[in-house]
Amino acid sequence: MATGPGKPSNSNRSGQRRSEWWFNDLVDPAETAIYLERLGAAGITRAELQSGRPIIGITQSGSDIVPCNRIHVELVERIKAGVRDAGGVPLVFPVHPIQETLRRPTAALDRNLLYLGLVELLAGYPFDGVVLTTGCDKTTPSQLMAAASVDLPAITLNGGPMLDGRFEGRRVGAGTALWEARRRLAAGQIDEGELIDVVMAASPSLGHCNTMGTALTMNSLAEALGMALPGSAAIPAPYAARGWAAYETGKRIVGMVEEDLRPSRIMTRQAFENAIVVNSAIGGSTNAPIHLNAIAAHLGVELSVDDWDTLGSEVPLLVDVAPAGRYLAESFHHAGGVPAVMAELRTGGYLHLDVITVTGQPLAAQLDGVRSADTEVIHTVAEPLAPAGGFLVLHGNLFGSGLMKLSVIGEDFRRRYLCDPDDPNAFVVTAVVFEGPEDYRARIDDPGLPVDEHSILVVRGAGPIGYPGSAEVVNMTPPGRLVRAGVSMLPCLGDGRQSGTSDSPSILNISPEAAAGGAIALVTTGDQIRVDLGRRRVELLVSDEELARRRTELQDHTPPHSTPWEELYRAHVSQLAEGATLDFATGYRDIRRIRPRHSH
């Protein structure tokens, strides 16, 4: 049979790609004709689609309402060029938008919604591999979760951090500037207009947060997991090198399809252990355990919240980047980024070096000859910024688990609360309780509120069910009168989260949350709480009998559902310690093997 223009021969290939279930179904050519028809109308030739070339999906996570990822609107052209030059056929498609700074009540709601949508797209469309464009923090875990469930060859490319911010001659970082400005506003040092000015100055270009917030943390951990090209995590968004990385990522995904290099081969238990170690070394976000535990759950990899303490709490802090340090993302990139961090960790024997990455090579091979280019920014293991940069995982009668970030415990906080020679690394404080962040904002400066430097601010109703979605509200500023007196931080505790850009050593991610019946729902203003970091314990100093009595009088403060998705989410979401996954979703694995039924 003549093959003519646009009519390829099917006789030169013995195997069959997944995309050929759509484009080369010789058993039912009428179905194939339907699938080819409209792509052909868009200018893609039959020859391209029936040639057996890999069909590569490229997620589009950037849009006008996702400014952190906005650069991907143009960057996908470089990815497409790389796919083309490597012999693939690129198809760009949108995913559900997630923008941390715009979405109300919280972007955390949409992580699982993007996951569900992307699973359907990867399962129901003719893709042989996928490039995941990430950036703003939850766009990274949601897409890795979907890639884990479907298990097509996949690689991530983030849009990069924004350039370093400057205000009145000093370095200011996205997110971190806000928390500092709030304290200065409470102290009467600036007014509302100046607060807005400094916050906007901290974000001088396209890109995600330029601090080691959750976005840079998660994109660094995607690289540490082996799911991104080495050195790509921290390239600032406006740099030419970001476009170069996009091109190379497009090329590499085609090779990954040829090699059948899938997420399940890369994101092993050992890879997750490496990521936990790297998170400690970079002073990463307290949101990282939620997201990595969720990705692991979708792969069927055993990973618990306690692993973050046992594997990471004694790893030295190497990276001097805000909020735990002085510098910002541009300096981190120029010092060598994630490869330099991992190379330094290698010298201390902290990493599994035989894990495979998207390069197809073991981690050891890509670290040879790598070192920190600026030891003021990325320190050596021999001379770390601090001896420990990870998390303590706390337990007690107040919750099953909660986290505290070691790298942001400052000298003032340590002096006030952790230096009692008779009770080292422990303190007893009095609870001041708020029913959600609105209650906190309404009452924190009430002169009659019984709060002083011996208080702990407790916020509840901020977890996955209660908020819903879990809100970044646990890092609460003290009353203005205390800030003016020099108490810039109080201990905070809550069943919500805090921004990775926050420098507050809060006790957060508490599981179970108040809305799920957790004991935090029983705390009353005036209760004594003992925090013992050495023993990893937090105890509510109230008798069991009194707690039982309070439980009989509990009132439900959970707000009603606002949308259908909120109702579905609340009915199926797990707690933060378990990754806040959807309970019915984690059992779906290796979906790529299921041949979808025809649509006509």
Side-chain angles (χ1 to χ4, degrees):
M1 170 178 161
T3 60
K7 295 182 180 181
S9 167
N10 294 305
S11 62
N12 62 343
R13 297 187 70 252
S14 57
Q16 189 181 52
R17 300 198 189 283
R18 184 176 182 273
S19 59
E20 293 183 272
W21 296 348
W22 280 259
F23 301 138
N24 274 329
D25 186 350
L26 301 184
V27 175
D28 198 338
E31 295 290 346
T32 282
I34 291 171
Y35 303 132
L36 292 170
E37 174 195 9
R38 298 305 164 90
L39 289 176
I44 303 176
T45 68
R46 178 182 170 190
E48 291 173 278
L49 296 172
Q50 290 192 310
S51 65
R53 294 165 64 183
I55 306 298
I56 303 299
I58 303 171
T59 70
Q60 178 52 273
S61 63
S63 70
D64 288 346
I65 62 170
V66 188
C68 286
N69 293 31
R70 177 64 176 74
I71 196 168
H72 284 308
V73 174
E74 289 80 30
L75 204 58
V76 292
E77 294 302 321
R78 299 304 301 143
I79 302 172
K80 290 167 66 177
V83 171
R84 282 277 179 199
D85 285 357
V89 178
L91 297 176
V92 180
F93 61 94
V95 292
H96 184 85
I98 302 181
Q99 176 60 37
E100 183 65 46
T101 58
L102 288 180
R103 174 66 160 105
R104 297 169 68 175
T106 169
L109 266 176
D110 287 359
R111 189 202 67 177
N112 290 348
L113 189 55
L114 192 161
Y115 158 79
L116 287 175
L118 183 52
V119 166
E120 293 303 311
L121 289 165
L122 296 181
Y125 284 82
F127 301 126
D128 299 306
V130 63
V131 177
L132 310 171
T133 66
T134 68
C136 192
D137 51 12
K138 294 164 190 63
T139 63
T140 305
S142 57
Q143 294 188 63
L144 285 172
M145 289 157 61
S149 290
V150 180
D151 207 26
L152 284 175
I155 187 171
T156 68
L157 177 79
N158 85 87
M162 61 185 69
L163 300 177
D164 288 2
R166 293 275 173 178
F167 185 75
E168 296 181 343
R170 64 188 181 93
R171 188 184 292 113
V172 289
T176 301
L178 172 60
W179 317 124
E180 180 187 353
R182 279 182 168 173
R183 291 192 289 268
R184 294 183 67 200
L185 179 66
Q189 298 170 357
I190 59 174
D191 61 26
E192 291 83 353
E194 290 171 302
L195 179 147
I196 293 172
D197 286 343
V198 68
V199 170
M200 294 193 71
S203 300
S205 74
L206 288 178
H208 61 68
C209 288
N210 50 24
T211 49
M212 192 58 73
T214 308
L216 184 53
T217 294
M218 287 309 303
N219 291 307
S220 295
L221 297 189
E223 184 177 324
L225 279 170
M227 289 297 293
L229 289 180
S232 65
I235 303 169
Y239 280 23
R242 176 55 61 192
W244 305 340
Y247 176 77
E248 294 299 333
T249 298
K251 288 180 64 178
R252 180 58 196 144
I253 188 58
V254 176
M256 292 176 68
V257 171
E258 298 288 353
E259 299 159 20
D260 194 31
L261 184 53
R262 293 174 280 109
S264 60
R265 293 179 56 196
I266 297 170
M267 292 191 287
T268 61
R269 165 73 190 197
Q270 290 72 29
F272 280 100
E273 291 183 1
N274 283 350
I276 290 173
V277 167
V278 169
N279 186 79
S280 297
I282 64 177
S285 168
T286 51
N287 288 302
I290 303 167
H291 297 321
L292 258 69
N293 288 7
I295 298 165
H298 286 287
L299 281 163
V301 172
E302 291 293 329
L303 194 69
S304 76
V305 68
D306 287 312
D307 288 327
W308 290 80
D309 191 326
T310 56
L311 296 169
S313 65
E314 297 184 3
V315 173
L317 176 65
L318 303 183
V319 175
D320 193 358
V321 169
R326 299 171 294 169
Y327 297 97
L328 296 172
E330 279 192 89
S331 297
F332 180 52
H333 166 63
H334 288 299
V338 174
V341 174
M342 298 187 81
E344 297 300 336
L345 289 168
R346 178 188 192 180
T347 67
Y350 288 102
L351 298 175
H352 301 285
L353 297 171
D354 57 348
V355 295
I356 301 299
T357 77
V358 291
T359 66
Q361 300 298 314
L363 175 63
Q366 64 193 49
L367 296 182
D368 287 342
V370 178
R371 61 182 178 83
S372 172
D374 185 345
T375 54
E376 288 295 309
V377 180
I378 299 177
H379 291 233
T380 65
V381 168
E383 297 182 2
L385 184 63
F391 308 136
L392 297 182
V393 178
L394 309 171
H395 304 278
N397 69 344
L398 192 50
F399 46 73
S401 69
L403 287 183
M404 191 177 206
K405 184 175 179 178
L406 290 170
S407 62
V408 293
I409 298 178
E411 287 306 313
D412 182 66
F413 188 93
R414 188 176 299 279
R415 176 179 57 81
R416 288 181 184 276
Y417 302 107
L418 299 173
C419 288
D420 183 347
D422 297 324
D423 199 7
N425 291 314
F427 55 93
V428 176
V429 278
T430 303
V432 180
V433 181
F434 302 97
E435 302 293 348
E438 295 84 1
D439 184 33
Y440 157 76
R441 286 192 288 269
R443 294 196 295 124
I444 188 60
D445 284 311
D446 182 343
L449 191 70
V451 57
D452 58 25
E453 65 179 297
H454 305 292
S455 300
I456 185 168
L457 304 181
V458 178
V459 64
R460 60 191 176 208
I465 298 170
Y467 203 69
S470 74
E472 295 184 333
V473 297
V474 181
N475 50 319
M476 293 167 281
T477 303
R481 59 183 173 80
L482 286 185
V483 178
R484 291 189 291 273
V487 183
S488 62
M489 287 187 187
L490 287 174
C492 298
L493 181 150
D495 57 6
R497 302 173 295 112
Q498 73 180 23
S499 170
T501 65
S502 173
D503 56 356
S504 170
S506 305
I507 300 169
L508 39 69
N509 298 5
I510 285 176
S511 302
E513 63 179 299
I520 188 174
L522 307 177
V523 183
T524 298
T525 294
D527 286 347
Q528 298 285 290
I529 295 175
R530 175 177 164 79
V531 178
D532 189 331
L533 301 185
R535 294 180 175 85
R536 310 295 204 268
R537 301 291 296 178
V538 176
E539 300 290 342
L540 179 61
L541 304 181
V542 175
S543 70
D544 291 343
E545 294 76 14
E546 173 61 14
L547 293 179
R549 185 194 66 78
R550 292 182 188 180
R551 191 169 289 280
T552 66
E553 299 177 353
L554 269 183
Q555 297 180 12
D556 185 4
H557 295 278
T558 305
H561 312 306
S562 298
T563 65
W565 169 235
E566 286 188 9
E567 181 173 1
L568 180 63
Y569 179 94
R570 279 174 159 153
H572 294 284
V573 70
S574 67
Q575 292 293 284
L576 292 177
E578 300 160 334
T581 56
L582 298 174
D583 56 16
F584 61 83
T586 53
Y588 286 85
R589 298 183 193 132
D590 208 11
I591 295 172
R592 70 188 177 89
R593 291 188 177 276
I594 301 171
R595 186 186 291 242
R597 299 172 72 178
H598 282 303
S599 58
H600 299 89

